[in-house]
Amino acid sequence: MSEEHQMTRREYREQQAHRIQQPLQHSDSQDQSNLDDRPLIQKDSTNQESPYLSREESLAAQQATITEEKTNRLRKKLNHIMIGLVIAIILVYLVLFFVG
């Protein structure tokens, strides 16, 4: 084994718990009377500049993509139907012209 100290899981968890407790202790020292005045969710400029989308935004984007795909498929189907109808009308006129 190497000479470096390797942490056990317990030591690592204690270290992580200590790191988590430090910011909490710092925030506890702040004024507690303003807790009710602050909003539950704060949106700041760093959140808006994030390359990741929130759940609502990604769901809306996904629904928009699905709607767009369905519209394109329906558009293609309607184009094929219209072409078929035009060909059918031309065939009917040809039959009527040559038979009658």
Side-chain angles (χ1 to χ4, degrees):
M1 293 185 112
S2 65
E3 304 246 345
E4 297 177 15
H5 175 69
Q6 293 186 359
M7 280 193 256
T8 62
R9 288 184 183 180
R10 183 178 201 174
E11 291 171 339
Y12 178 75
R13 288 180 184 152
E14 288 173 357
Q15 183 184 20
Q16 293 300 319
H18 181 69
R19 286 183 182 171
I20 291 172
Q21 289 298 325
Q22 282 179 341
L24 291 178
Q25 291 172 354
H26 180 357
S27 66
D28 287 343
S29 66
Q30 294 176 352
D31 186 17
Q32 295 292 327
S33 64
N34 292 334
L35 287 178
D36 293 333
D37 298 337
R38 288 187 271 167
L40 294 177
I41 298 175
Q42 296 179 354
K43 290 191 175 185
D44 54 354
S45 62
T46 59
N47 189 17
Q48 293 174 355
E49 294 175 3
S50 174
Y52 302 108
L53 299 176
S54 69
R55 288 182 184 174
E56 293 85 10
E57 291 170 341
S58 65
L59 182 62
Q62 201 172 34
Q63 287 177 345
T65 304
I66 290 171
T67 304
E68 188 176 327
E69 288 174 359
K70 287 182 179 182
T71 303
N72 288 338
R73 276 187 269 152
L74 183 62
R75 188 175 291 147
K76 286 180 183 179
K77 285 182 182 179
L78 288 175
N79 284 341
H80 290 143
I81 290 171
M82 287 181 0
I83 291 171
L85 286 174
V86 167
I87 291 173
I89 290 172
I90 292 172
L91 287 175
V92 167
Y93 275 118
L94 289 174
V95 167
L96 287 176
F97 180 73
F98 288 113
V99 174

